[in-house]
Amino acid sequence: MPDRRRISSGSAFEEQIGYSRAVIDGDYVWVSGTTGFDYSTMTLRQGVVAQAEQCFENIARALAQAGASLDDVVRAFYILPNRADWPPCWPVVKRYLGQARPVSTMIVAGLQGEEMLIEIEVTARLPKKG
């Protein structure tokens, strides 16, 4: 698989469970479901808005390692345990993805831990070179 490259966030979960933060394959970057865990402090931010912001910071970091940015996102997938938490996240989504305006879906479902309030997964297309 010469065209496939994996990116790690350094999360212990990636090794324990067997996944990558992001995978680049051809022209696309797939970023795994990302929670509001701050890897610099090894803590989970409090509140759904703060967690959504951290999700996007983590995603932006992975995309940068792949040679892309949030403006290259073509699909976003949001998972929240509580549907009432979704509207407060809209301004955060607009700030980070308002330029890209990707297709998106939001579902209500349980996450890995009760303290996790949002998970965001994206797909981006690498910018054309030249």
Side-chain angles (χ1 to χ4, degrees), residues 70-129:
L70 290 167
D71 289 344
D72 299 309
V73 172
V74 295
R75 183 192 60 82
F77 187 67
Y78 307 94
I79 307 165
L80 292 94
N82 182 351
R83 78 185 60 210
D85 282 343
W86 182 225
C89 294
W90 294 352
V92 177
V93 172
K94 177 137 182 150
R95 185 173 42 212
Y96 286 95
L97 293 180
Q99 184 70 28
R101 296 185 64 180
V103 298
S104 67
T105 300
M106 187 284 282
I107 66 165
V108 176
L111 298 178
Q112 186 169 333
E114 299 269 331
E115 68 283 1
M116 295 176 180
L117 304 176
I118 187 169
E119 186 169 326
I120 303 171
E121 177 184 314
V122 304
T123 303
R125 183 160 187 180
L126 291 169
K128 298 210 185 284
K129 296 179 182 177

Side-chain angles (χ1 to χ4, degrees), residues 5-8 21-31 58-69 72 124-127 129:
R5 184 166 62 102
R6 292 172 182 83
I7 294 172
S8 174
R21 170 61 43 216
V23 173
I24 306 159
D25 194 342
D27 293 336
Y28 289 91
V29 182
W30 287 270
V31 181
N58 293 342
I59 290 166
R61 195 171 299 111
L63 288 172
Q65 289 177 14
S69 75
D72 299 309
R125 183 160 187 180
L126 291 169
K129 296 179 182 177

